[in-house]
Amino acid sequence: MEQTQNSPSDLPEDLPTDLTLSETLQMLVRELTHCAETLRETHEIVSPQLVELERRYPMARTKSDDQRSLGRASSSYPA
């Protein structure tokens, strides 16, 4: 996965520039909450499919998968 760094020119043109730090942080929290909800929804869609694939192809796992099941988050922090 390629990471890109956003420059100020990458920001939407309609982004207010006169926000306080508190308002900016509130916007960030709303955006991150939306991202977390999207990830949860995606997981709910994909997870059953991954379980089915694991059931059908149990020997398709690699050595790196021995420590965690395919499609399961390795982090202890929920999305």
Side-chain angles (χ1 to χ4, degrees):
M1 182 184 299
E2 185 178 318
Q3 291 183 353
T4 59
Q5 234 178 356
N6 291 339
S7 68
S9 62
D10 293 337
L11 295 173
E13 291 180 20
D14 60 346
L15 188 65
T17 57
D18 59 344
L19 295 176
T20 65
L21 177 58
S22 177
E23 292 168 329
T24 303
L25 290 174
Q26 288 173 1
M27 284 180 62
L28 179 59
V29 166
R30 282 193 300 272
E31 190 64 30
L32 290 173
T33 300
H34 175 72
C35 290
E37 289 170 358
T38 301
L39 283 172
R40 245 181 239 106
E41 291 169 4
T42 302
H43 179 265
E44 289 173 7
I45 293 168
V46 173
S47 180
Q49 297 169 353
L50 291 173
V51 169
E52 177 63 18
L53 286 172
E54 286 179 337
R55 187 187 66 74
R56 285 186 185 190
Y57 306 102
M59 301 307 291
R61 298 172 74 173
T62 64
K63 286 185 181 181
S64 64
D65 295 328
D66 289 342
Q67 304 243 335
R68 63 183 180 92
S69 180
L70 289 172
R72 305 292 194 286
S74 58
S75 172
S76 60
Y77 300 103

